[in-house]
Amino acid sequence: MTALMATVITSECINCGACEPECPNTAIYQGGVEWELDGQTHAAISNDIFYIVPEKCTECVGFFDHEACAAVCPVDCCVPDPKIPESEAVLLERAKKLHPETSFAADFPSRFRKDGGAATAAPAADAPPAAASSPAPVPAAPRAAVEPAPAEPVPGGALPTLDDWEIPILCRECDGEYTVAFQYLRPGVVFYCPHCQASFVPTRTTYLEIATALERFQGRWERAFAAFEESRHRELAAFEERQRAELAEFEQRLRSFTHEGQTATGTARRRWFN
């Protein structure tokens, strides 16, 4: 049986609220807000930051092959709680209790099965298939920043500034594609898909990976273009030197003609123009 743990929000939370609408169990609450279960209201677990109710958290077992809150958190503060170890079977039973109207198939989504963990529960074999799980979210664009297509590099070797790079985005909900200017792609900013309005927040890890990739590519491009320009200048200088030498040689031939060729006749005269 695979040992699992409940999920907890750490003190690094920046209260962006991106995680709350993603939870399939309404287990996430804003700081200071009372939580509810089975018709009973309970005091808030935290008054300062968003919190997860352990009694309602299933680590998204039965709904997704990833933890939805952790996937959208921009500061990676949704982590396993070592104080509350739980099994996949317990999490699935909790999901069934929280969603009595839902039937879970034998191959129900679970991030632990996806990662190679052993299955610990076997729901009814004749249950209808569960909804297809969505892939882990990727950053989406703020509505004001959505563009139809990535910008093309300026001809002549110039590139956009880092802030002006258009980052292609694939929506995790509708698979719609759009772009967002890198200057808007910051952790903690809520982005919206222009096709289905699904909301996401880029994680700090995603932002740093994209920033690093852009900086490295831009650096390689600029170095390669500088080397090409230097090589072109050398070739141009060599070409101009050859042309100057050829011009000087021709001018010398003209001078020789004026000095000697004018008095020549026949074959001797024609050689001055070959």
Side-chain angles (χ1 to χ4, degrees):
M1 180 176 295
T2 306
L4 313 179
M5 299 177 185
T7 304
V8 64
I9 297 177
T10 67
S11 59
E12 284 77 16
C13 175
I14 60 175
N15 283 316
C16 69
C19 58
E20 182 181 11
E22 302 299 326
C23 179
N25 306 310
T26 63
I28 302 177
Y29 293 80
Q30 187 174 4
V33 176
E34 297 178 335
W35 61 278
E36 183 273 335
L37 179 62
D38 295 332
Q40 296 183 358
T41 303
H42 306 268
I45 296 176
S46 171
N47 292 320
D48 302 318
I49 60 175
F50 279 80
Y51 65 89
I52 299 176
V53 177
E55 291 84 350
K56 300 178 72 175
C57 177
T58 66
E59 297 190 59
C60 295
V61 168
F63 294 94
F64 306 115
D65 60 3
H66 60 276
E67 286 186 283
C69 60
V72 299
C73 179
V75 291
D76 300 327
C77 69
C78 298
V79 299
D81 186 353
K83 299 177 183 179
I84 310 178
E86 296 179 307
S87 68
E88 186 183 66
V90 169
L91 295 173
L92 181 63
E93 287 304 314
R94 182 176 299 153
K96 291 179 178 179
K97 181 178 179 181
L98 292 170
H99 304 274
E101 76 288 351
T102 301
S103 297
F104 296 90
D107 58 346
F108 60 89
S110 170
R111 72 184 183 95
F112 306 99
R113 294 186 174 194
K114 176 183 178 183
D115 295 338
T120 59
D126 58 349
S133 60
S134 302
V138 295
R143 298 177 186 181
V146 173
E147 299 292 343
E152 292 293 333
V154 179
L159 289 178
T161 64
L162 287 181
D163 280 348
D164 290 335
W165 271 94
E166 295 294 335
I167 309 303
I169 304 298
L170 182 65
C171 177
R172 69 182 180 88
E173 295 291 344
C174 68
D175 291 332
E177 187 171 343
Y178 50 93
T179 64
V180 53
F182 180 67
Q183 61 180 313
Y184 299 109
L185 196 69
R186 296 294 184 269
V189 178
V190 180
F191 298 133
Y192 297 91
C193 171
H195 308 292
C196 68
Q197 300 304 308
S199 62
F200 305 110
V201 178
T203 65
R204 179 172 51 189
T205 300
T206 297
Y207 167 76
L208 292 176
E209 288 178 351
I210 293 176
T212 299
L214 286 178
E215 290 173 355
R216 289 178 176 174
F217 176 80
Q218 193 133 359
R220 289 197 304 269
W221 179 285
E222 291 174 353
R223 289 191 297 271
F225 188 71
F228 169 74
E229 286 288 286
E230 182 180 354
S231 174
R232 186 169 63 177
H233 287 322
R234 288 197 302 266
E235 292 179 0
L236 179 60
F239 173 77
E240 291 176 344
E241 181 61 29
R242 291 194 300 270
Q243 293 301 100
R244 283 194 294 269
E246 185 175 341
L247 178 60
E249 179 183 359
F250 183 70
E251 289 176 343
Q252 180 59 40
R253 294 185 64 189
L254 284 178
R255 187 176 297 107
S256 298
F257 171 73
T258 58
H259 292 171
E260 304 174 15
Q262 287 180 325
T263 60
T265 60
T267 302
R269 184 181 181 86
R270 287 196 297 272
R271 70 181 177 86
W272 294 102
F273 297 95
N274 295 330

